[in-house]
Short mmCIF file of all heavy atoms in Angstrom, two decimals:
data_model
loop_
_atom_site.label_atom_id
_atom_site.label_comp_id
_atom_site.label_asym_id
_atom_site.label_seq_id
_atom_site.Cartn_x
_atom_site.Cartn_y
_atom_site.Cartn_z
N ALA A 161 -34.60 -31.97 -9.90
CA ALA A 161 -35.69 -31.01 -9.79
C ALA A 161 -35.43 -29.78 -10.71
O ALA A 161 -36.36 -29.14 -11.22
CB ALA A 161 -35.85 -30.53 -8.34
N GLU A 162 -34.17 -29.43 -10.89
CA GLU A 162 -33.84 -28.28 -11.72
C GLU A 162 -34.10 -28.56 -13.19
O GLU A 162 -34.65 -27.74 -13.91
CB GLU A 162 -32.35 -27.89 -11.52
CG GLU A 162 -31.95 -26.67 -12.27
CD GLU A 162 -32.62 -25.40 -11.82
OE1 GLU A 162 -33.29 -25.40 -10.73
OE2 GLU A 162 -32.52 -24.37 -12.52
N LEU A 163 -33.72 -29.75 -13.66
CA LEU A 163 -33.96 -30.08 -15.05
C LEU A 163 -35.47 -30.17 -15.33
O LEU A 163 -35.95 -29.68 -16.33
CB LEU A 163 -33.29 -31.41 -15.40
CG LEU A 163 -33.48 -31.87 -16.84
CD1 LEU A 163 -32.95 -30.84 -17.81
CD2 LEU A 163 -32.79 -33.22 -17.07
N LYS A 164 -36.22 -30.72 -14.39
CA LYS A 164 -37.67 -30.82 -14.55
C LYS A 164 -38.27 -29.41 -14.65
O LYS A 164 -39.15 -29.14 -15.50
CB LYS A 164 -38.30 -31.59 -13.40
CG LYS A 164 -39.82 -31.74 -13.55
CD LYS A 164 -40.40 -32.53 -12.40
CE LYS A 164 -41.87 -32.83 -12.69
NZ LYS A 164 -42.69 -31.65 -12.90
N ALA A 165 -37.85 -28.51 -13.77
CA ALA A 165 -38.36 -27.13 -13.82
C ALA A 165 -38.05 -26.46 -15.15
O ALA A 165 -38.92 -25.78 -15.75
CB ALA A 165 -37.81 -26.31 -12.64
N ALA A 166 -36.84 -26.65 -15.63
CA ALA A 166 -36.47 -26.01 -16.88
C ALA A 166 -37.25 -26.54 -18.05
O ALA A 166 -37.68 -25.77 -18.93
CB ALA A 166 -34.96 -26.23 -17.13
N LEU A 167 -37.45 -27.86 -18.09
CA LEU A 167 -38.20 -28.44 -19.20
C LEU A 167 -39.69 -28.07 -19.12
O LEU A 167 -40.34 -27.88 -20.15
CB LEU A 167 -38.04 -29.96 -19.18
CG LEU A 167 -36.62 -30.50 -19.40
CD1 LEU A 167 -36.58 -32.01 -19.34
CD2 LEU A 167 -36.05 -30.00 -20.72
N ASP A 168 -40.22 -27.95 -17.89
CA ASP A 168 -41.62 -27.61 -17.70
C ASP A 168 -41.91 -26.13 -18.00
O ASP A 168 -42.97 -25.79 -18.54
CB ASP A 168 -42.10 -27.94 -16.31
CG ASP A 168 -42.21 -29.44 -16.01
OD1 ASP A 168 -42.18 -30.19 -16.99
OD2 ASP A 168 -42.32 -29.81 -14.84
N GLU A 169 -40.98 -25.26 -17.63
CA GLU A 169 -41.26 -23.82 -17.64
C GLU A 169 -40.71 -23.10 -18.87
O GLU A 169 -41.15 -22.01 -19.19
CB GLU A 169 -40.67 -23.18 -16.39
CG GLU A 169 -41.31 -23.69 -15.11
CD GLU A 169 -40.60 -23.15 -13.86
OE1 GLU A 169 -39.91 -22.14 -13.95
OE2 GLU A 169 -40.75 -23.80 -12.78
N GLY A 170 -39.69 -23.67 -19.51
CA GLY A 170 -39.11 -22.98 -20.64
C GLY A 170 -39.94 -23.11 -21.89
O GLY A 170 -40.73 -24.08 -22.04
N PRO A 171 -39.89 -22.14 -22.83
CA PRO A 171 -39.03 -20.98 -22.76
C PRO A 171 -39.59 -19.89 -21.82
O PRO A 171 -40.78 -19.66 -21.77
CB PRO A 171 -38.98 -20.47 -24.21
CG PRO A 171 -40.29 -20.92 -24.76
CD PRO A 171 -40.61 -22.22 -24.10
N SER A 172 -38.69 -19.22 -21.13
CA SER A 172 -39.02 -18.15 -20.20
C SER A 172 -37.85 -17.23 -20.13
O SER A 172 -36.80 -17.49 -20.73
CB SER A 172 -39.38 -18.72 -18.82
OG SER A 172 -38.21 -19.30 -18.23
N ARG A 173 -37.97 -16.16 -19.36
CA ARG A 173 -36.83 -15.27 -19.17
C ARG A 173 -35.67 -16.06 -18.57
O ARG A 173 -34.50 -15.81 -18.87
CB ARG A 173 -37.23 -14.13 -18.25
CG ARG A 173 -36.11 -13.09 -18.07
CD ARG A 173 -36.61 -11.87 -17.28
NE ARG A 173 -36.89 -12.23 -15.91
CZ ARG A 173 -37.18 -11.33 -14.97
NH1 ARG A 173 -37.30 -10.07 -15.27
NH2 ARG A 173 -37.45 -11.71 -13.74
N ARG A 174 -35.97 -17.00 -17.69
CA ARG A 174 -34.99 -17.76 -16.94
C ARG A 174 -34.44 -18.93 -17.72
O ARG A 174 -33.23 -19.16 -17.78
CB ARG A 174 -35.63 -18.19 -15.64
CG ARG A 174 -35.14 -19.47 -15.01
CD ARG A 174 -35.65 -19.64 -13.61
NE ARG A 174 -34.71 -18.96 -12.71
CZ ARG A 174 -35.00 -18.50 -11.49
NH1 ARG A 174 -36.24 -18.62 -11.04
NH2 ARG A 174 -34.10 -17.92 -10.77
N TYR A 175 -35.29 -19.72 -18.32
CA TYR A 175 -34.90 -20.97 -18.96
C TYR A 175 -35.04 -20.87 -20.49
O TYR A 175 -36.12 -20.56 -20.99
CB TYR A 175 -35.76 -22.13 -18.47
CG TYR A 175 -35.60 -22.44 -16.98
CD1 TYR A 175 -36.71 -22.50 -16.15
CD2 TYR A 175 -34.33 -22.67 -16.40
CE1 TYR A 175 -36.60 -22.82 -14.81
CE2 TYR A 175 -34.22 -22.95 -15.06
CZ TYR A 175 -35.35 -23.04 -14.27
OH TYR A 175 -35.23 -23.33 -12.92
N ARG A 176 -33.93 -21.14 -21.21
CA ARG A 176 -33.89 -20.99 -22.66
C ARG A 176 -33.59 -22.35 -23.30
O ARG A 176 -32.46 -22.79 -23.30
CB ARG A 176 -32.85 -19.95 -23.05
CG ARG A 176 -32.96 -18.61 -22.35
CD ARG A 176 -34.32 -17.96 -22.55
NE ARG A 176 -34.51 -17.57 -23.96
CZ ARG A 176 -35.67 -17.11 -24.40
NH1 ARG A 176 -36.75 -17.00 -23.60
NH2 ARG A 176 -35.78 -16.78 -25.67
N PRO A 177 -34.62 -23.03 -23.83
CA PRO A 177 -34.43 -24.36 -24.41
C PRO A 177 -33.39 -24.46 -25.48
O PRO A 177 -32.82 -25.56 -25.72
CB PRO A 177 -35.81 -24.71 -24.91
CG PRO A 177 -36.76 -23.91 -24.06
CD PRO A 177 -36.04 -22.64 -23.81
N GLY A 178 -33.05 -23.38 -26.18
CA GLY A 178 -32.00 -23.42 -27.15
C GLY A 178 -30.66 -23.84 -26.59
O GLY A 178 -29.79 -24.31 -27.32
N HIS A 179 -30.47 -23.70 -25.28
CA HIS A 179 -29.20 -24.06 -24.64
C HIS A 179 -29.07 -25.55 -24.48
O HIS A 179 -27.93 -26.03 -24.19
CB HIS A 179 -29.08 -23.35 -23.29
CG HIS A 179 -28.87 -21.87 -23.45
ND1 HIS A 179 -29.15 -20.98 -22.43
CD2 HIS A 179 -28.46 -21.12 -24.49
CE1 HIS A 179 -28.89 -19.77 -22.83
NE2 HIS A 179 -28.45 -19.82 -24.07
N TRP A 180 -30.14 -26.31 -24.60
CA TRP A 180 -30.00 -27.76 -24.54
C TRP A 180 -30.69 -28.47 -25.72
O TRP A 180 -30.96 -29.64 -25.67
CB TRP A 180 -30.53 -28.30 -23.18
CG TRP A 180 -31.85 -27.73 -22.76
CD1 TRP A 180 -33.10 -28.19 -23.06
CD2 TRP A 180 -32.06 -26.67 -21.82
NE1 TRP A 180 -34.07 -27.43 -22.46
CE2 TRP A 180 -33.47 -26.49 -21.65
CE3 TRP A 180 -31.19 -25.82 -21.12
CZ2 TRP A 180 -34.00 -25.52 -20.83
CZ3 TRP A 180 -31.74 -24.83 -20.31
CH2 TRP A 180 -33.13 -24.69 -20.16
N ALA A 181 -30.90 -27.72 -26.77
CA ALA A 181 -31.53 -28.29 -27.97
C ALA A 181 -30.63 -29.35 -28.63
O ALA A 181 -31.12 -30.19 -29.42
CB ALA A 181 -31.86 -27.21 -28.96
N HIS A 182 -29.32 -29.29 -28.34
CA HIS A 182 -28.41 -30.31 -28.93
C HIS A 182 -28.51 -31.66 -28.27
O HIS A 182 -27.88 -32.63 -28.72
CB HIS A 182 -26.97 -29.78 -28.85
CG HIS A 182 -26.49 -29.56 -27.45
ND1 HIS A 182 -26.98 -28.56 -26.64
CD2 HIS A 182 -25.58 -30.23 -26.69
CE1 HIS A 182 -26.36 -28.61 -25.46
NE2 HIS A 182 -25.50 -29.61 -25.49
N GLY A 183 -29.30 -31.76 -27.19
CA GLY A 183 -29.45 -33.05 -26.51
C GLY A 183 -28.30 -33.46 -25.64
O GLY A 183 -27.60 -34.45 -25.92
N PRO A 184 -28.02 -32.70 -24.58
CA PRO A 184 -26.89 -33.03 -23.67
C PRO A 184 -27.06 -34.42 -23.04
O PRO A 184 -28.17 -34.95 -22.91
CB PRO A 184 -26.96 -31.93 -22.59
CG PRO A 184 -27.81 -30.86 -23.18
CD PRO A 184 -28.77 -31.52 -24.08
N SER A 185 -25.95 -34.95 -22.63
CA SER A 185 -25.94 -36.20 -21.89
C SER A 185 -26.16 -35.82 -20.38
O SER A 185 -25.21 -35.59 -19.67
CB SER A 185 -24.62 -36.95 -22.06
OG SER A 185 -24.57 -38.11 -21.28
#
Side-chain angles (χ1 to χ4, degrees):
E162 184 66 12
L163 180 58
K164 183 179 186 304
L167 296 179
D168 288 347
E169 298 174 19
S172 66
R173 184 175 67 173
R174 150 168 274 157
Y175 296 127
R176 307 303 294 173
H179 290 159
W180 45 86
H182 61 291
S185 178

